[in-house]
Amino acid sequence: MADIGKAIIRVPKAACGEMVEVKSLITHPNDTGLVKDEKTGQLIPAHYVSSCKVEFNGETVYEFSMGPSVSKDPYLAFSIKADKAGTLKMTWKDNKGEVFEQSADINPV
């Protein structure tokens, strides 16, 4: 699974002071630990995104807790007020301790 942790963040253009909907997706198997491998018959160990933190210009604006019931390649959408330019940084952590980061610029016009 070479693409694990690959993330996309989409931020639409917005006028200064408007709310924008940020959409994100991270490539992750999100295995529950309850499914058997078709070839071996063995349970696939649990491996899922357990949290996501969203920071704007270094200030935490959202924190999400997740569990194994979240689908493969978790998708998150949330709103943020675009009242100044800056960098939106998202950090995902999984139950095996892996950490994945992605950033996007917000530039209100």
Side-chain angles (χ1 to χ4, degrees):
M1 179 144 262
D3 290 337
I4 190 167
K6 209 171 186 183
I8 299 169
I9 301 174
R10 301 226 189 260
V11 181
K13 290 183 181 178
C16 191
E18 278 187 355
M19 295 295 287
V20 295
E21 184 178 37
V22 177
K23 298 176 181 177
S24 69
L25 184 131
I26 184 166
T27 302
H28 198 282
N30 263 26
D31 292 315
T32 63
L34 303 174
V35 176
K36 289 183 179 178
D37 185 308
E38 290 180 12
K39 293 178 185 168
T40 66
Q42 300 292 313
L43 287 176
I44 298 170
H47 189 198
Y48 57 87
V49 175
S50 58
S51 67
C52 178
K53 183 165 120 178
V54 180
E55 298 171 276
F56 183 63
N57 288 338
E59 182 179 330
T60 301
V61 291
Y62 287 104
E63 289 188 74
F64 302 97
S65 293
M66 295 179 252
S69 61
V70 175
S71 70
K72 176 182 177 183
D73 301 335
Y75 168 82
L76 289 174
F78 52 91
S79 297
I80 187 168
K81 190 171 187 176
D83 58 353
K84 59 186 172 188
T87 301
L88 182 85
K89 177 181 163 189
M90 295 182 70
T91 305
W92 294 265
K93 293 181 181 175
D94 70 20
N95 68 318
K96 291 187 175 180
E98 294 174 287
V99 178
F100 313 100
E101 294 181 349
Q102 183 64 276
S103 298
D105 292 328
I106 295 180
N107 295 306
V109 289

